[in-house]
Amino acid sequence: MTTEPTNPAGGSSPEPGAAVPQSAQAPQAAAAVAQDGTAHGHPPFLAHHFDTPQQQFASGKLGMWIFLGTEILMFGGLFCAYAVYRHNHPDVFRYADRYLDRTLGALNTAILISSSFTMAWAVRCAQIGRRRGLVTCLALTILGGIGFMGIKSVEYQTKWKEHVWIGRSNVFSAQYTGTAKPGEHDETEAEAAKPIAPAPYTPAHPDPNAGTPDAPKIVPKVIGPPGLAAPSSGQREMTLADLAAQDRHRIAVFFSIYFLMTGLHGVHVLVGLGLITWIMVRSIRGAFSSLYFTPVDLVGLYWHLVDMIWIFLFPLLYLIH
Amino acid sequence: MDAQSAEMPAVDHAGEAHAVPMKVLLRVFAALLFLTALTVSVTRVNLGQANVLIALLIAVAKAGLVAMYFMHLRYDRPFHGVVLIVALLFVALFIGMLVLDTGHYQADLQPPADMRIKP
């Protein structure tokens, strides 16, 4: 924010250093003027199109909340894609979940929550005018964000190595161009790669078309409702062989949803990191005080929203039972 | 609400904001970490459909804590909470309608050609 050396009221400016309140509604402004020793007739942080610091703060905060509302709506579209796909193909989600590392996901959740805590602490430091505490908390928050992105990149790398990337780089996709076999990195994969023979498996609802040694399984020419051959629940860990054939390609769609949701979230983390760095540089320069900390507060709100979205992403993607 | 916020060590930032006490921040932080551990450990128990519901309930509780204390909604102007809730309502409407819709038509849909069993 730039402050011009002229008075907003134009020609009728008070004497330099006089610190005369412009109106009865702006005692804060006058106090700030007296404190700073600046003589614009208003505090240096008050933009000219606002009457009072209260109005400026309230407007900024309302604007930020409305922006956060649009962010929720944007992510809502992706959550909707997730909900519809999981609703239609629950077995695909149960199978594909094994490719996600729960430990790393939980660690990342803890890291992001911690960085949200240090961000809330930073806002508190700014509100009570502790500059050193503010800078320290912001630095810790940045560290948390970098740690989150570091772990995320390790996870993405693992997905690349396991051929469960997006599009043609996903081994389950019909368009896959590589040489890997579906599910060869699967722990229970040795038997899953074999032809369908779920001997010790006891499905909750026995498939009437499962076939016996006497009457071999009839493969339908026209595909019935999805999940016909897929059991709805099982006693042991499910394998690729338990999935209906058409569901195997759908695993690739799960990874598209996973990468889109976590990717968009990751972009938000990167934007948040940039904003917090900007705030930290400004706080080192002493731009904020207990009278003016609006940018710290608003960037904090953004960072907490990013945290909130991850709080939903983590159980929905990593903790599918 | 007013009695609550009056107890807070209100730091006057243009009479709008209150610094959340350190004790409250630490408690919320501890609760968030506890709920994270809980949601991970509850996954080991097979409760069928309830697993998703429990995971979502815990996530809502965590998000609520973040919104109320880290995002100051408890001490803030109520309208900011209204903005948040309205956005969430529209997302719920969006997801609810689409799941209803897909529940009606999914069974009649043929999978795309590249998803069919190859002979």
Side-chain angles (χ1 to χ4, degrees):
Chain A
M1 182 177 64
T2 57
T3 48
E4 293 169 33
T6 54
N7 189 279
S12 65
S13 64
E15 285 293 303
V20 175
Q22 292 288 300
S23 68
Q25 296 159 340
Q28 294 274 344
V33 170
Q35 199 178 47
D36 293 356
T38 48
H40 310 145
H42 67 91
F45 52 79
L46 181 62
H48 287 177
H49 50 283
F50 291 114
D51 289 333
T52 60
Q54 290 95 319
Q55 189 199 16
Q56 177 172 277
F57 179 71
S59 308
K61 206 154 184 183
L62 176 61
M64 192 69 199
W65 271 106
I66 289 172
F67 169 68
L68 295 186
T70 65
E71 289 277 89
I72 290 169
L73 294 177
M74 176 168 71
F75 274 96
L78 294 180
F79 279 104
C80 191
Y82 173 94
V84 168
Y85 217 73
R86 184 166 177 181
H87 176 81
N88 288 330
H89 313 291
D91 289 321
V92 172
F93 277 66
R94 279 205 305 135
Y95 177 79
D97 183 58
R98 72 192 51 197
Y99 282 92
L100 305 187
D101 192 325
R102 272 181 200 184
T103 316
L104 289 184
L107 186 64
N108 250 354
T109 310
I111 287 175
L112 212 57
I113 284 174
S114 307
S115 81
S116 214
F117 166 67
T118 53
M119 189 70 223
W121 195 356
V123 171
R124 181 187 150 81
C125 286
Q127 284 172 325
I128 58 180
R130 288 191 194 147
R131 197 163 118 200
R132 180 177 286 197
L134 169 62
V135 174
T136 311
C137 285
L138 290 176
L140 286 173
T141 310
I142 291 172
L143 267 182
I146 290 173
F148 179 88
M149 289 312 286
I151 289 176
K152 204 90 215 101
S153 60
V154 168
E155 285 188 80
Y156 277 17
Q157 264 182 310
T158 313
K159 304 280 170 302
W160 175 260
K161 283 180 193 153
E162 291 184 343
H163 308 281
V164 283
W165 198 246
I166 44 176
R168 288 179 183 172
S169 303
N170 192 303
V171 70
F172 297 107
S173 167
Q175 284 89 32
Y176 180 60
T177 50
T179 52
K181 293 270 192 313
E184 67 181 8
H185 295 275
D186 204 344
E187 288 151 28
T188 52
E189 201 34 52
E191 68 260 37
K194 287 178 196 163
I196 299 169
Y201 184 76
T202 50
H205 309 288
D207 186 351
N209 188 25
T212 60
D214 302 330
K217 180 183 168 92
I218 305 156
V219 178
K221 276 181 187 164
V222 178
I223 292 161
L228 184 69
S232 56
S233 72
Q235 302 301 313
R236 63 176 170 84
E237 185 85 337
M238 124 193 233
T239 64
L240 193 60
D242 298 329
L243 273 183
Q246 68 267 33
D247 271 351
R248 296 186 190 179
H249 291 314
R250 293 195 171 109
I251 298 169
V253 182
F254 170 85
F255 283 102
S256 295
I257 293 174
Y258 164 81
F259 278 112
L260 204 55
M261 291 183 101
T262 58
L264 187 66
H265 178 265
V267 169
H268 278 75
V269 173
L270 288 179
V271 170
L273 281 176
L275 289 171
I276 297 170
T277 309
W278 168 62
I279 290 296
M280 193 169 84
V281 169
R282 284 187 72 186
S283 60
I284 289 170
R285 289 183 187 157
F288 306 118
S289 65
S290 59
L291 290 168
Y292 176 65
F293 54 81
T294 313
V296 185
D297 204 0
L298 300 192
V299 169
L301 286 179
Y302 180 82
W303 192 251
H304 296 314
L305 185 90
V306 172
D307 182 35
M308 266 166 90
I309 289 167
W310 182 259
I311 282 174
F312 282 97
L313 285 182
F314 170 60
L316 287 179
L317 290 172
Y318 289 78
L319 301 179
I320 301 169
H321 192 79
Chain B
M1 186 92 177
D2 275 342
Q4 298 271 1
S5 47
E7 284 169 23
M8 299 299 154
V11 174
D12 197 20
H13 168 55
E16 280 282 346
H18 299 103
V20 185
M22 208 55 221
K23 202 196 271 178
V24 174
L25 286 184
L26 279 168
R27 275 184 194 161
V28 171
F29 180 44
L32 287 173
L33 288 183
F34 169 75
L35 287 173
T36 304
L38 184 69
T39 195
V40 172
S41 52
V42 83
T43 322
R44 300 211 179 97
V45 190
N46 188 0
L47 301 166
Q49 284 288 317
N51 273 108
V52 187
L53 287 177
I54 290 171
L56 278 177
L57 274 180
I58 293 175
V60 167
K62 285 164 78 182
L65 282 175
V66 171
M68 290 294 265
Y69 295 99
F70 285 0
M71 297 172 97
H72 297 174
L73 273 187
R74 183 166 177 183
Y75 318 103
D76 213 348
R77 294 190 167 188
F79 189 70
H80 299 156
V82 172
V83 172
L84 176 67
I85 288 166
V86 166
L88 292 175
L89 278 180
F90 272 98
V91 170
L93 186 71
F94 186 31
I95 293 177
M97 289 319 247
L98 260 90
V99 168
L100 273 180
D101 186 65
T102 193
H104 271 102
Y105 299 114
Q106 186 65 27
D108 302 332
L109 293 179
Q110 288 288 311
D114 60 2
M115 281 192 176
R116 293 186 192 174
I117 298 171
K118 282 166 189 153

